[in-house]
Amino acid sequence: MSTGLSIFVTVVSILNILACWWLIRWTMKSRPGESAEGEVTGHTWDDGHLAELNNPLPRWWLFMFYITIAFALVYLVLYPGLGNFKGVLGWTAENQYEAEIAAADERYGPIFAKYASQDLTALAQNPEALQVGQRLFGTYCAQCHGSDAKGAPGFPNLADAEWLYGGEPETIKTTILNGRNGVMPPMGQAVGDEQAVDEVVAYVMSLSGMVSAEAGAAGKAKFEQICAACHMPDGTGNPALGAPNLTNDSWLYGGSRGAIKKTIMEGRQGVMPAHEEFLGDDKIHVLAAYVYSLSQQK
């Protein structure tokens, strides 16, 4: 933060702590006209059976208040809290995180190194390794792909046999290591007017049997002219480009007529972030084996 803002935060923090101390001292002072200690203040109820007495605050309560003030001052000396002052201990969240990661790597690193020496296909049949991979998946992948790995709109289902970039073990590992950038450009203008788009939509739907071949015949020529370069003339897709297979019932953004039309008109942008720097090769090796195993289950 800027120097000016740092000074402002520091002054406000210290003044608030001092104000708490002053409030305690101010409330303990006797004032003219006030009842003596232990006497009735003048507030009574139930014909005098209940009365408010002028009693001082309990000592233990005061001491606890003073302790919290002292704790706050000591904390702000030791740790960050006063603007740009980093504290005499030099603590940062990043340093603590790195220390915890280093401790975890020292403890668990040999386990992952043992698994890293094994072939992915064999590792996908190792129950212990799969348990480790499942925990990694739940921590780092389930937010997008779901705890059951069946995905959501825009996030691929990893539990079936349909793969955008190929489902071989090493390909899956490469995807996790380096990430993927899937781009479907908006093709509405290239296809033509709305009727032409609707015809291509119908043809795409006919490829997977959602409508009859006759219903989609009018859009075939446009598809072969504009879409076949990525999705192949028969619509089976191209894993080298991440172009999906359009002949099955697996749809990344939905297989309704409206969803397909939106995809053609506006395009799609999909990003799978790279995890190599974050997780490291050994952990990703186990994670890739687990993901591969999901599509091998009968």
Side-chain angles (χ1 to χ4, degrees):
M1 65 179 72
S2 66
T3 302
L5 181 58
S6 174
I7 294 173
F8 175 78
V9 170
T10 301
V11 170
V12 170
S13 299
I14 293 176
L15 285 179
N16 272 278
I17 294 174
L18 294 177
C20 290
W21 176 84
W22 171 84
L23 181 62
I24 298 174
R25 305 303 301 174
W26 180 77
T27 55
M28 292 176 62
K29 289 183 178 180
S30 299
R31 292 170 181 76
E34 192 174 62
S35 303
E37 183 177 325
E39 293 184 354
V40 177
T41 62
H43 298 157
T44 60
W45 303 268
D46 195 18
D47 296 328
H49 290 90
L50 295 175
E52 180 184 7
L53 304 180
N54 183 17
N55 288 330
L57 294 171
R59 287 292 177 182
W60 67 266
W61 191 91
L62 285 173
F63 290 149
M64 288 296 293
F65 213 139
Y66 286 133
I67 288 172
T68 59
I69 292 175
F71 176 85
L73 292 172
V74 172
Y75 180 92
L76 291 174
V77 170
L78 298 177
Y79 296 96
L82 296 176
N84 291 330
F85 177 63
K86 299 184 181 303
V88 296
L89 296 181
W91 178 92
T92 66
E94 182 178 356
N95 289 342
Q96 180 172 336
Y97 169 78
E98 291 177 351
E100 292 175 355
I101 290 297
D105 286 342
E106 182 178 356
R107 181 176 180 180
Y108 301 110
I111 299 175
F112 287 108
K114 178 186 69 174
Y115 291 142
S117 64
Q118 300 179 31
D119 177 74
L120 280 170
T121 304
L123 198 62
Q125 300 175 14
N126 183 326
E128 292 183 358
L130 292 181
Q131 288 182 356
V132 175
Q134 184 178 28
R135 287 192 286 270
L136 289 171
F137 185 91
T139 301
Y140 300 108
C141 312
Q143 295 89 336
C144 293
H145 295 283
S147 58
D148 59 358
K150 292 186 178 180
F155 302 98
N157 181 351
L158 305 179
D160 60 15
E162 301 298 331
W163 298 91
L164 292 175
Y165 295 91
E168 300 78 14
E170 289 297 335
T171 303
I172 296 172
K173 182 176 179 179
T174 298
T175 296
I176 301 174
L177 282 170
N178 304 326
R180 300 287 187 181
N181 289 296
V183 179
M184 161 70 184
M187 304 300 293
Q189 188 173 4
V191 172
D193 57 22
E194 188 167 355
Q195 180 181 347
V197 172
D198 288 337
E199 289 173 352
V200 173
V201 170
Y203 178 73
V204 171
M205 296 179 71
S206 74
L207 292 174
S208 57
M210 290 192 289
V211 301
S212 66
E214 292 77 10
K220 181 178 181 180
K222 280 284 186 180
F223 180 91
E224 293 178 344
Q225 176 186 353
I226 297 172
C227 311
C230 294
H231 294 281
M232 307 303 288
D234 58 359
T236 54
N238 185 349
L241 300 175
N245 182 351
L246 304 178
T247 66
N248 55 32
D249 59 354
S250 178
W251 298 91
L252 186 56
Y253 294 95
S256 67
R257 187 180 297 271
I260 296 172
K261 185 174 182 178
K262 180 179 175 66
T263 298
I264 295 173
M265 294 287 292
E266 302 177 11
R268 301 289 186 179
Q269 299 283 336
V271 177
M272 159 70 183
H275 286 69
E276 181 175 15
E277 184 176 350
F278 182 63
L279 288 179
D281 189 271
D282 289 355
K283 291 179 182 175
I284 289 176
H285 192 79
V286 179
L287 182 55
Y290 172 74
V291 173
Y292 173 71
S293 74
L294 295 174
S295 62
Q296 304 304 303
Q297 298 174 5
K298 302 298 184 182

